[in-house]
């Protein structure tokens, strides 16, 4: 793909990469052909702007715009991710990367020269769609997860993460990106919800990320013949799972929180057999850590009660849990004043949350999503709103990288 300095052309270039011809959704899982094409696209776009890309041993990327009068101060990093959930939307992640490149173009068109380094970054496996660990690239570079822990993760096909990384031509022994020179991180993202729609504004800033996590529920029973086994003689884990999914929905509604079973695996997965094992993954999110714990406890308690009645057993494993993230309120207030933008919470996890937890002052810019739909082929943002987001991001970056006082 030929490099360009036009946001709309960049978006057209991105559109076909990893897109399903049947659903229109995207399959841009990390360390796959589609993701490699996106990494190449990013490197070409940076090169067209005279920026040299550094790629670390697992595929994280960053390119820096170095001011002529660099003083050694820590810089400002912006960007997002390029991977997608399975059959995901076009905007979640790539909008932040394309907008960062376009914001640099806007600043240069204004004749702006940063007073400190300005970087554009891409973190890998933000969605956790392949190896089940959200924000894995940023977790690794901040030390929240170690390579020794991550390398043993397996995808749905049983491939070890270490082998997937090596198969993509990357070498973790080459090291990970250093965040030593990052003084502030700003991530632009399509809004995953309808807050900006309800407010009738195109752009907003983030105040916080709700605590959230993923729990694996293993429901074990006894495989048996679907025809010859009397209903009263069955130990069917599918029944236990089904009641648990309904319980999660009810408990989340009662508490005003979020709970979703979006993925299951069944063994032996035969039409004419009672299952022996159902594994299901719960995604739960809540407005506070205590509310999240109470929600998961309530779901787990009802699941155990039902397992006792069904003659099945249950084991619950917390696979990935993230606490509440409160973005730097002084930074958010300072930036909100640039455009009178609202400051709103989000229930979705982001690399920005990981960097904030690592002690880096962090802000997020949201772009309106007219339907609020995300993690779906129906995810959307109007071009005019995307361009408003580019201008807003340029204003934010100018404010943060202006000549030191």
């Amino acid at each position: 793909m030929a490099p360009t300095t036009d946001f709309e052309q960049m978006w057209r270039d991105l559109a076909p990469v990893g897109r399903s011809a049947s659903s229109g959704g995207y399959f841009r899982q990390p360390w796959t052909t589609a993701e490699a094409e996106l990494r190449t696209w990013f490197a070409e776009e940076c090169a067209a702007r005279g920026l040299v890309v550094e790629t670390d041993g697992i595929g994280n990327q960053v390119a820096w715009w170095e001011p002529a009068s660099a003083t050694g101060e820590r810089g400002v990093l912006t960007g997002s991710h390029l991977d997608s959930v399975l059959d995901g939307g076009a905007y979640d992640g790539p909008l932040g990367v394309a907008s960062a490149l376009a914001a640099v173009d806007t600043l240069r068109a204004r004749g702006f020269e940063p007073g400190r380094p300005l970087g554009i970054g891409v973190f890998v496996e933000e969605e956790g769609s392949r190896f089940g660990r959200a924000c894995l690239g940023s977790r690794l570079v901040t030390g929240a997860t170690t390579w020794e822990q991550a390398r043993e993760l397996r995808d749905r096909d049983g491939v070890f993460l270490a082998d997937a990384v090596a198969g993509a031509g990357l070498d973790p022994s080459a090291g990970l990106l250093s965040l030593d020179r990052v003084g502030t991180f700003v991530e632009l993202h399509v809004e995953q919800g309808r807050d900006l729609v309800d407010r009738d504004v195109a752009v907003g800033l983030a105040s916080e990320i709700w605590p959230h996590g993923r729990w694996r529920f293993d429901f074990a029973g006894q495989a048996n013949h679907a025809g010859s086994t009397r209903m009263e003689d069955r130990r069917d884990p599918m029944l236990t799972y089904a009641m648990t999914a309904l319980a999660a929905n009810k408990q989340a509604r009662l508490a005003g929180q979020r709970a979703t079973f979006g993925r299951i695996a069944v063994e032996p997965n035969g039409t004419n057999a009672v299952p022996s094992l159902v594994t299901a993954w719960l995604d739960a999110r809540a407005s506070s850590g205590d509310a999240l714990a109470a929600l998961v406890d309530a779901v787990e308690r009802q699941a155990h009660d039902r397992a006792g009645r069904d003659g099945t057993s249950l084991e619950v494993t917390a696979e990935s849990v993230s606490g509440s993230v409160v973005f730097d309120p002084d930074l958010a207030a300072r930036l909100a004043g640039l455009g009178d933008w609202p400051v709103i919470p989000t229930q979705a996890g982001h690399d920005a949350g990981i960097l904030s937890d690592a002690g880096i002052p962090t802000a997020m810019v949201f772009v309106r999503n007219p339907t609020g739909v995300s993690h779906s082929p129906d995810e959307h943002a109007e071009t005019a709103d995307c361009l408003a987001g580019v201008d807003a991001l340029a204003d934010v970056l100018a404010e943060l990288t202006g000549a030191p006082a």
Side-chain angles (χ1 to χ4, degrees):
M1 293 178 287
T4 177
T5 56
D6 178 80
F7 172 84
E8 293 179 69
Q9 183 59 51
M10 279 193 286
W11 203 248
R12 287 191 289 270
D13 289 342
L14 283 171
V17 182
R19 189 175 190 182
S20 167
S22 57
S23 71
Y26 288 88
F27 292 83
R28 293 166 166 171
Q29 278 56 65
W31 306 295
T32 62
T33 300
E35 192 255 1
E37 187 174 349
L38 293 172
R39 280 193 280 114
T40 298
W41 168 85
F42 178 68
E44 290 176 346
E45 291 294 341
C46 289
R49 293 162 175 81
L51 309 177
V52 178
V53 172
E54 173 190 351
T55 301
D56 74 6
I58 62 169
N60 291 314
Q61 294 175 287
V62 67
W64 289 96
W65 178 8
E66 300 282 0
S69 56
T71 62
E73 286 194 75
R74 300 178 81 184
V76 176
L77 180 66
T78 188
S80 191
H81 63 96
L82 292 169
D83 63 304
S84 73
V85 298
L86 297 170
D87 206 22
Y91 294 81
D92 181 357
L95 180 63
V97 178
S99 296
L101 291 162
V104 167
D105 298 337
T106 299
L107 291 174
R108 287 176 168 173
R110 294 177 184 175
F112 177 82
E113 177 75 13
R116 52 180 59 82
L118 172 57
I120 303 174
V122 177
F123 292 103
V124 297
E125 182 64 311
E126 191 272 352
E127 298 291 3
S129 63
R130 183 172 180 188
F131 289 95
R133 295 295 185 274
C135 302
L136 184 58
S138 55
R139 287 181 189 276
L140 285 166
V141 299
T142 60
T145 297
T146 67
W147 174 246
E148 288 68 28
Q149 295 168 327
R151 63 176 295 131
E152 299 300 323
L153 295 173
R154 292 176 183 256
D155 67 11
R156 297 165 193 248
D157 297 320
V159 177
F160 283 107
L161 185 143
D163 292 335
V165 170
L170 299 163
D171 180 6
S173 67
L176 299 173
L177 288 182
S178 171
L179 298 178
D180 289 346
R181 66 186 309 192
V182 178
T184 308
F185 179 63
V186 180
E187 181 174 6
L188 181 144
H189 206 280
V190 67
E191 189 193 5
Q192 295 166 296
R194 294 181 48 85
D195 201 319
L196 296 179
V197 174
D198 294 340
R199 295 171 186 265
D200 193 26
V201 294
V203 173
L205 296 173
S207 59
E208 63 176 321
I209 296 175
W210 277 19
H212 57 279
R214 302 177 183 187
W215 288 261
R216 190 182 75 244
F217 282 59
D218 291 302
F219 303 93
Q222 181 182 49
N224 216 326
H225 195 289
S228 61
T229 309
R230 296 183 304 178
M231 303 303 288
E232 60 269 29
D233 292 337
R234 300 183 180 203
R235 293 166 52 200
D236 187 349
M238 186 64 79
L239 298 179
T240 316
Y241 158 69
M243 193 289 304
T244 303
L246 294 174
N249 174 70
K250 181 177 181 178
Q251 293 298 329
R253 287 175 179 269
L254 289 173
Q257 313 297 348
R258 313 281 194 272
T260 307
F261 278 102
R263 174 188 171 195
I264 66 170
V266 182
E267 297 179 16
N269 205 26
T271 303
N272 59 350
V274 175
S276 59
L277 178 67
V278 174
T279 300
W281 283 263
L282 171 69
D283 180 300
R285 301 163 192 253
S287 55
S288 71
D290 288 344
L292 180 62
L295 174 60
V296 175
D297 286 347
V299 175
E300 186 175 347
R301 182 173 61 253
Q302 286 192 249
H304 278 293
D305 288 346
R306 179 66 193 221
R309 297 196 298 274
D310 291 337
T312 59
S313 63
L314 169 64
E315 182 176 349
V316 179
T317 304
E319 289 194 338
S320 176
V321 182
S322 299
S324 177
V325 174
V326 177
F327 292 114
D328 188 317
D330 293 334
L331 178 60
R334 173 186 171 191
L335 299 180
L338 298 175
D340 194 26
W341 301 312
V343 182
I344 61 176
T346 178
Q347 294 76 38
H350 300 282
D351 291 313
I354 304 303
L355 270 64
S356 180
D357 280 344
I360 296 173
T362 303
M364 290 195 71
V365 177
F366 289 131
V367 172
R368 177 169 50 191
N369 178 339
T371 65
V373 174
S374 187
H375 284 189
S376 159
D378 293 331
E379 181 180 86
H380 181 64
E382 296 292 339
T383 299
D385 287 349
C386 292
L387 295 175
V390 170
D391 285 339
L393 181 60
D395 291 343
V396 165
L397 297 176
E399 171 71 13
L400 296 176
T401 63

